Amino acid sequence: MKKANILIVDDEAKIVAIFRRFLEIKGFSVITASNAMAAMYVMVKKTPLDLIILDSKMPGMGGDDLVREMRKHGQTVPVILITGSIRSSQAEKAEGMFAHVLFKPVRLEELLAAVNSVVGHKPFRKKKKKAS
Amino acid sequence: MRKNKRKKDKDRVKRASKRPAGDLREEGLFLSLLDKKEEELLHTEEALIESMRLFRNLFEQSPIGVGIHDPRGALLIVNKAWLEILGLDSFDAMKDHNLFTSFHFNERQKGLLRAGKVIQCDLEYDFGKAGLKTKHEASLHLLYIVSPLFRDKAVIGYMTQVQNATERKKMAEAQRLAQLGRLLADMAHEVNNPLMIISGLAELALVDGVGDEKLKDTLNTIVDQCFFAKDIIQRLLKYSRIGKVEKKSVDVAAAINLVVGILAHHLHLADITIKKHVSDGLPPIVGNEKQLQELFMNILHNSADAMMDGGTITINARREGDFIRIEMIDTGEGMSRKVMERIFEPFFTTKQRGTGLGLAVCHTIVQDHGGQLFYDSRIGEGTKATVLLPVAGAAQGAAGEAL
């Protein structure tokens, strides 16, 4: 069976490394990006993605804005947002945009459960062509 | 009357001065001088009356409450604003009020007053303590300025100026909380990353497999403590958000039922029986559902934690006038008076693994809902938490009155 492809976007290299290592142990194929621009580049290159794990706060464009930008361009890949603050109302509003919102620090088992619920049950979604 | 007499005199003088000059010249000169003096006196009197009027106007129309005390501190007179600020119908209610026997000022301040110094203070004016019947709530936040009045360097009385700072205090408090919220949000982000790295690395090590049991324990403790820290941060963030959330009509009974439902399993395992007496058809209150759930959840958690060997929690909810009264009574170990005094203090805890924020959050939530929260407890017998929340219509009425 084909490994699910996961893109991890976080400006904190150590966190990226932990998630990567853990998810690879659990049998996923992982790509990483340290900011929103790098993540966009990965998507523009039409790398097949099943899931994006995204930090909400990064220098430059944050996770929320990145997803909004992606959706505007027809990119429908599911996203798990990892956030440091509980702006509960905001998170709730944004929840429609995300498959899951997890609060940092996240237990790795909790992350795995969220990942499995997305790539385990949802069918693979093909990227749509750019709107422009 | 005196004025009339003077007017007559003046006319007489005027008539005299109109007489032709000559042998009467000297008299005329004298009279004209007298005339001038009279004129001056008249001006002085008018000026005095004018000044009295001005003073009266200033006193009565001032938006600042002004009271005058005699040298012994007894209150002699107050203006309209004073009565309005304190919500009193007449001065009578305050006639026994004395600067030096009142509870508002401490000994140091009273000493300063006696020494002829001006004192200024923010104080929580508790009407119950002051023995005053008022239209206001139980207490107001007042800004007091007391200045001695002098004549020839001797204190002949005192003037008190009172301003209602309740709204300003509330605004300052809201601002402080907003600031705290921003600071906490920034801090959470900064602290959550290192926590994520610490717990993540420890978890990874565990995933990789650790043979040494001691090391395994250590790693598990590291992970646990990281999530304990996360819990503290999240509670603090919630604490800072109280008052900023949306409020709407909420069914208190439903909130209680929901929380009891969530806790049922946990309580059952702890050998705790719940006895629930919630009146039918409780009126809704204006509030935030999530915060009310948090409130009941925290109270019940504390009760459960106080009953390590099991017991009973009795929950009563009924309408009482304009309030809904909710009581949560446990048969736990109870609290000493010393502990009771500090339970609402942030970070105060008696639990091995408590954040000390549960009841601080509860207290702030209830306050923000215009209600009251108090505790009764006896060591070895149990603890009773009482929450009073204003019912929807009554809360609006009270708010309207306050405006």
Side-chain angles (χ1 to χ4, degrees):
Chain A
M1 213 178 92
K2 198 178 152 291
K3 282 182 183 175
N5 285 321
I6 301 174
L7 170 63
I8 300 172
V9 192
D10 196 319
D11 60 306
E12 179 56 70
K14 290 191 186 75
I15 292 178
V16 172
I18 291 166
F19 286 175
R20 167 181 219 148
R21 178 95 197 289
F22 177 70
L23 291 171
E24 280 175 353
I25 291 172
K26 296 297 171 186
F28 296 98
S29 160
V30 177
I31 314 160
T32 65
S34 63
N35 58 54
M37 286 316 287
M40 298 259 241
Y41 183 71
V42 171
M43 284 178 255
V44 167
K45 296 279 269 180
K46 302 203 191 291
T47 317
L49 292 175
D50 300 293
L51 171 67
I52 300 176
I53 297 173
L54 194 54
D55 187 20
S56 69
K57 209 173 157 189
M58 292 179 288
M61 191 186 279
D64 301 32
D65 289 334
L66 174 61
V67 173
R68 242 169 251 129
E69 202 60 26
M70 279 164 49
R71 299 294 187 240
K72 219 160 72 188
H73 290 93
Q75 174 59 272
T76 55
V77 61
V79 174
I80 294 176
L81 186 79
I82 302 199
T83 173
S85 60
I86 51 149
R87 300 249 171 77
S88 53
S89 57
Q90 254 172 305
E92 270 162 19
K93 265 183 222 155
E95 229 150 18
M97 295 197 320
F98 309 112
H100 290 277
V101 177
L102 302 177
F103 297 108
K104 250 188 214 173
V106 183
R107 278 188 196 269
L108 295 184
E109 286 303 320
E110 190 189 352
L111 178 70
L112 181 64
V115 169
N116 276 333
S117 82
V118 177
V119 297
H121 303 299
K122 285 190 182 170
F124 176 73
R125 284 184 178 179
K126 247 188 166 179
K127 273 193 305 177
K128 283 180 191 164
K129 273 194 173 174
K130 266 192 166 185
S132 54
Chain B
M1 269 210 303
R2 197 143 40 97
K3 206 171 176 185
N4 281 342
K5 187 173 176 275
R6 209 166 270 170
K7 190 141 195 309
K8 269 182 204 158
D9 285 353
K10 208 176 147 200
D11 290 341
R12 189 177 50 77
V13 171
K14 268 186 184 159
R15 275 197 302 279
S17 62
K18 272 174 195 155
R19 268 181 266 170
D23 49 341
L24 283 174
R25 179 184 287 197
E26 272 186 15
E27 193 197 356
L29 191 65
F30 170 72
L31 284 172
S32 81
L33 275 174
L34 197 67
D35 195 21
K36 235 182 183 167
K37 200 75 197 163
E38 278 284 315
E39 203 85 1
E40 262 171 38
L41 268 174
L42 257 176
H43 276 303
T44 315
E45 189 174 310
E46 269 163 25
L48 200 62
I49 290 166
E50 197 47 44
S51 143
M52 288 275 284
R53 247 186 229 136
L54 183 67
F55 166 73
R56 272 237 150 256
N57 252 329
L58 277 177
F59 184 71
E60 280 306 332
Q61 303 302 320
S62 164
I64 296 171
V66 182
I68 308 287
H69 305 257
D70 74 7
R72 265 178 258 142
L75 190 57
L76 299 174
I77 181 176
V78 297
N79 67 352
K80 226 161 54 191
W82 178 294
L83 296 176
E84 265 164 31
I85 288 169
L86 292 178
L88 304 170
D89 289 325
S90 72
F91 172 63
D92 284 355
M94 288 212 73
K95 65 179 191 300
D96 297 329
H97 180 89
N98 187 299
L99 267 188
F100 293 109
T101 56
S102 84
F103 63 92
H104 315 121
F105 306 114
N106 57 34
E107 287 313 312
R108 192 185 70 86
Q109 288 168 323
K110 287 174 188 172
L112 282 172
L113 273 182
R114 287 202 178 87
K117 299 276 196 313
V118 176
I119 62 164
Q120 180 172 346
C121 53
D122 269 20
L123 51 90
E124 203 61 38
Y125 198 99
D126 188 319
F127 289 107
K129 263 198 211 165
L132 284 179
K133 277 200 175 152
T134 165
K135 297 168 196 153
H136 290 311
E137 299 163 38
S139 77
L140 280 181
H141 194 87
L142 299 180
L143 181 66
Y144 255 75
I145 301 172
V146 189
S147 27
L149 302 170
F150 294 101
R151 186 183 293 150
D152 301 332
K153 287 182 185 169
V155 175
I156 56 157
Y158 298 92
M159 177 173 72
T160 304
Q161 297 170 64
V162 188
Q163 274 173 286
N164 187 353
T166 312
E167 282 308 307
R168 211 175 55 199
K169 176 94 177 165
K170 271 188 196 160
M171 260 164 62
E173 181 67 15
Q175 239 166 24
R176 199 182 61 83
L177 272 179
Q179 236 167 20
L180 181 71
R182 277 196 295 276
L183 183 78
L184 282 171
D186 288 346
M187 189 204 77
H189 181 73
E190 297 306 322
V191 175
N192 282 331
N193 269 349
L195 281 177
M196 179 74 243
I197 295 166
I198 297 167
S199 66
L201 286 173
E203 277 190 279
L204 264 187
L206 286 164
V207 169
D208 279 341
V210 178
D212 186 349
E213 283 302 313
K214 249 188 176 170
L215 182 58
K216 220 170 169 174
D217 273 357
T218 307
L219 289 170
N220 273 319
T221 308
I222 291 173
V223 176
D224 280 353
Q225 290 300 313
C226 283
F227 286 95
F228 181 50
K230 173 185 176 177
D231 195 33
I232 294 177
I233 292 167
Q234 299 237 330
R235 274 166 178 267
L236 270 175
L237 280 170
K238 277 189 198 159
Y239 189 40
S240 72
R241 282 191 57 80
I242 297 170
K244 284 193 281 183
V245 294
E246 202 189 341
K247 289 200 186 75
K248 47 190 178 193
S249 184
V250 184
D251 180 357
V252 175
I256 295 173
N257 290 335
L258 184 92
V259 171
V260 171
I262 293 170
L263 290 177
H265 182 64
H266 169 74
L267 294 175
H268 180 71
L269 287 181
D271 210 9
I272 294 167
T273 317
I274 290 258
K275 287 183 183 164
K276 202 160 47 128
H277 313 282
V278 178
S279 302
D280 288 333
L282 280 180
I285 69 153
V286 176
N288 181 276
E289 207 173 349
K290 286 222 165 112
Q291 290 190 344
L292 287 177
Q293 288 164 10
E294 167 105 11
L295 165 72
F296 299 134
M297 188 75 96
N298 286 348
I299 293 174
L300 289 175
H301 261 303
N302 281 341
S303 286
D305 287 345
M307 294 190 285
M308 284 313 187
D309 306 320
T312 308
I313 299 176
T314 310
I315 301 173
N316 301 319
R318 58 176 183 274
R319 184 175 182 154
E320 213 177 76
D322 287 341
F323 287 87
I324 294 179
R325 184 187 195 93
I326 303 126
E327 294 166 344
M328 297 186 162
I329 308 153
D330 67 53
T331 56
E333 58 195 19
M335 294 179 278
S336 70
R337 186 157 282 278
K338 231 177 166 178
V339 169
M340 287 260 286
E341 274 171 15
R342 300 188 58 193
I343 52 175
F344 297 130
E345 238 172 69
F347 297 113
F348 174 77
T349 184
T350 57
K351 298 181 197 169
Q352 193 110 53
R353 287 207 54 170
T355 57
L357 288 167
L359 283 186
V361 166
C362 287
H363 187 64
T364 315
I365 289 175
V366 173
Q367 267 190 334
D368 185 56
H369 281 72
Q372 286 180 54
L373 167 65
F374 40 90
Y375 267 82
D376 259 327
S377 187
R378 229 165 256 196
I379 291 233
E381 288 179 29
T383 300
K384 173 170 150 187
T386 307
V387 180
L388 293 177
L389 293 169
V391 303
Q396 277 157 9
E401 236 167 69
L403 289 171

